[in-house]
Amino acid sequence: MPSTPTPVSFDPDRPDFAPYGLTCVHWRPSPMRRPDHHNEIELNFLESGTVTYLLGGRKTVVDSGRLSAFWAAIPHQIIDFGRATSYFVVTIPLQWFLQWRLPEHFVQPLLQGLLVSEPTTDRAVSDSQLFAHWEEDLPHAGAELQKAVLLEMQARLVRLALNLPVRPKPPARRGRLATVSDSGLNKVEQMACFIAQNYTESLTVQQIGEHVKLHPNYAMNLFQKTFGTTLINYLTQHRISHAQRLLATTDDLIADVAFNSGFNSISRFNDAFRRTCGNSPREYRRSHLLNDLTDSRPA
């Protein structure tokens, strides 16, 4: 049987958006003083207990026995966890994940900032063994063993996707990922990474295109073909998630939340927030403020 390395915890001093790379580690949950933020797909498998994240601006619970996945470019912060919680964390670089061209009904929710979880606990025993093997293999894996681990991860995510309900979609959107070349996926990852690192600043499509050395129109088309949303909508999604987190964890003025999230006017912020969340920023704060997050409040 694989040995179990010492669990690790989140390092609050790690540089923001620093990559983890391809990893599988046994994790010890602890309340996080700030969100983590990195451009990988993250898999969680809890052998016991529960973990509650603030994922973007949403309070999200991960239960034991069910493989869960989310895109870690969305700021995520552990705010609570059950006693005796034991779990594995896998990180997979985004471009590698996109190259697998997994079913769209699985990929799109991840890229839109949602947590996707296995519907049942039927595979809990085999998942526990699988993650333990990945944890043992990866630290010293050569190219061939790493390739084998990646194939196992890909196969496991295919099984997860096959167990998820499929929502009907317009014919024009089917097969989107299959039409994008690997070089195109690399450009898309660069754009997504650039936005995730700079969404609180004033950004334009022109600037994003220039960053990846593409004409803005081509950059927009390539991005929409892969992510199923426009660059502007994607940028706004990051800003709204940031605002939700500030509203839930601080007493900042609404105007400060708007400007600190990248919006250049209160009216645009209010309109975008209401379209996305269905209520005003003030109403959202009233129902989502996390009173126990004292470390996140301004002194």
Side-chain angles (χ1 to χ4, degrees):
M1 291 291 294
S3 60
T4 303
T6 303
V8 298
S9 296
F10 174 65
D11 177 7
D13 297 322
R14 74 182 302 271
D16 187 45
F17 219 72
Y20 285 95
L22 178 65
T23 66
C24 179
V25 296
H26 220 100
W27 203 257
R28 177 186 293 117
S30 60
M32 294 164 64
R33 299 199 303 271
R34 68 167 181 85
D36 202 5
H37 189 211
H38 51 96
N39 196 35
E40 284 111 356
I41 297 297
E42 181 168 320
L43 311 182
N44 285 183
F45 177 72
L46 277 65
E47 295 177 298
S48 59
T50 61
V51 170
T52 302
Y53 285 105
L54 196 61
L55 181 59
R58 304 179 186 91
K59 193 173 180 180
T60 304
V61 178
V62 180
D63 294 315
S64 62
R66 302 171 188 261
L67 175 62
S68 298
F70 62 91
W71 184 25
I74 305 298
H76 52 286
Q77 183 175 7
I78 294 175
I79 58 174
D80 195 14
F81 53 91
R83 291 185 178 182
T85 294
S86 173
Y87 73 116
F88 291 97
V89 173
V90 163
T91 55
I92 304 169
L94 178 64
Q95 188 182 359
W96 297 2
F97 174 82
L98 292 176
Q99 287 173 346
W100 291 343
R101 291 174 169 81
L102 297 166
E104 186 178 334
H105 71 276
F106 168 59
V107 174
Q108 290 303 319
L110 292 181
L111 299 182
Q112 293 164 15
L114 301 179
L115 180 94
V116 177
S117 295
E118 189 82 47
T120 72
T121 60
D122 292 349
R123 301 187 64 84
V125 174
S126 59
D127 277 342
S128 181
Q129 296 171 345
L130 192 59
F131 276 73
H133 283 296
W134 293 343
E135 181 187 29
E136 184 180 48
D137 289 344
L138 281 177
H140 312 292
E144 290 303 312
L145 183 54
Q146 184 182 90
K147 181 179 178 181
V149 170
L150 284 169
L151 287 171
E152 289 170 351
M153 290 179 176
Q154 180 181 1
R156 181 62 187 91
L157 292 181
V158 169
R159 288 184 179 275
L160 170 57
L162 292 175
N163 285 334
L164 298 173
V166 180
R167 296 179 180 178
K169 295 185 178 180
R173 294 186 61 186
R174 295 186 184 277
R176 176 167 49 250
L177 289 178
T179 67
V180 179
S181 66
D182 288 350
S183 62
L185 291 176
N186 181 52
K187 293 291 187 182
V188 167
E189 183 191 26
Q190 291 176 35
M191 285 188 275
C193 183
F194 183 68
I195 292 171
Q197 289 178 287
N198 298 283
Y199 63 85
T200 58
E201 307 297 327
S202 177
L203 282 182
T204 65
V205 173
Q206 179 78 27
Q207 290 173 309
I208 297 168
E210 288 176 354
H211 178 73
V212 296
K213 298 180 173 58
L214 293 178
H215 187 279
N217 290 340
Y218 183 77
M220 286 192 296
N221 290 336
L222 183 65
F223 192 91
Q224 184 161 7
K225 183 181 289 186
T226 304
F227 276 40
T229 188
T230 67
L231 273 171
I232 297 302
N233 286 343
Y234 178 76
L235 175 59
T236 301
Q237 174 188 319
H238 269 281
R239 289 172 172 168
I240 292 295
S241 291
H242 189 91
Q244 288 175 315
R245 182 167 54 83
L246 293 179
L247 291 168
T249 61
T250 76
D251 290 323
D252 293 353
L253 297 174
I254 300 295
D256 291 338
V257 169
F259 294 124
N260 290 337
S261 301
F263 292 92
N264 57 15
S265 79
I266 298 297
S267 60
R268 288 186 179 180
F269 170 60
N270 285 331
D271 289 345
F273 196 95
R274 189 174 288 278
R275 283 198 309 271
T276 302
C277 304
N279 53 14
S280 70
R282 194 174 305 279
E283 292 166 339
Y284 184 91
R285 166 172 275 168
R286 191 177 299 122
S287 59
H288 290 81
L289 187 64
L290 303 175
N291 295 318
D292 55 331
L293 288 182
T294 54
D295 288 342
S296 299
R297 292 175 177 271

